[in-house]
Amino acid sequence: MKSFIAPIIALSLLSAETNAHASEQVRINRAGSQPSISGAETNFTGSVRVDGLFKGEAPARISGGTVTFEPGARTAWHTHPLGQTLIVTAGVGYVQQESGERQEIRSGDVVWIPPHVRHWHGATASSGMTHIAVSEAEDGTTVTWAEKVSDTVYSGARP
Ligand code: MN
């Protein structure tokens, strides 16, 4: 008898847990509901378009956006307090961390930038590149910007 009751109690507990969130609603951020913005001149070189995609509600701290770089365009040097994931969705580009080689990235590649690692990313000189950038905020901040990437470094010199 006892062996039949225990699973039933466990099942009803599971059901109560599920119902606690029944009033939460699935939400759809409709395409085009947020205007595209230009990458700030102080933080980017060249023509860059940023399209915000999502921002988690606390206690979640994840957010993401699509960044489109025209040929030759790139970020300034920067770091992310909790790291960053880049999902390349179109074109060919570069990512480079300080004291590392410039690496080519292309559509389908997924890049992980560890926390506090100085780096930049952008398009190649001849091809545009688009990536979805996903990061988590620490104390409300997802990025700390530094100086722009020189043409020498962009062209492949080791920083
Ligand atoms: Mn980054």
Side-chain angles (χ1 to χ4, degrees):
M1 187 65 172
K2 194 177 177 186
S3 63
F4 287 100
I5 291 170
I8 289 168
I9 291 170
L11 253 182
S12 61
L13 284 172
L14 184 66
S15 155
E17 170 67 22
T18 304
N19 289 341
H21 300 281
S23 62
E24 303 285 348
Q25 297 296 304
V26 167
R27 189 179 63 212
I28 300 172
N29 290 340
R30 293 294 177 187
S33 62
Q34 288 187 78
S36 301
I37 59 171
S38 294
E41 204 273 326
T42 48
N43 302 332
F44 295 91
T45 299
S47 181
V48 177
R49 192 175 75 244
V50 181
D51 291 280
L53 291 176
F54 65 91
K55 191 173 189 305
E57 288 176 17
R61 49 189 181 176
I62 194 168
S63 64
T66 300
V67 188
T68 303
F69 301 85
E70 294 298 313
R74 67 267 191 180
T75 68
W77 288 99
H78 62 284
T79 60
H80 304 284
L82 296 177
Q84 181 181 50
T85 300
L86 304 176
I87 303 161
V88 185
T89 57
V92 187
Y94 298 128
V95 63
Q96 185 173 27
Q97 74 181 79
E98 189 151 61
S99 72
E101 298 286 338
R102 185 189 68 177
Q103 299 187 75
E104 192 175 279
I105 53 176
R106 45 183 65 238
S107 184
D109 289 343
V110 179
V111 181
W112 165 243
I113 314 288
H116 307 297
V117 169
R118 257 169 69 91
H119 70 286
W120 62 271
H121 28 109
T124 67
S126 58
S127 172
M129 188 273 284
T130 302
H131 63 50
I132 295 172
V134 178
S135 55
E136 293 176 276
E138 183 179 65
D139 301 327
T141 300
T142 59
V143 58
T144 300
W145 293 105
E147 76 278 12
K148 289 192 176 184
V149 175
S150 69
D151 289 343
T152 310
V153 167
Y154 178 71
S155 300
R158 245 176 123 119

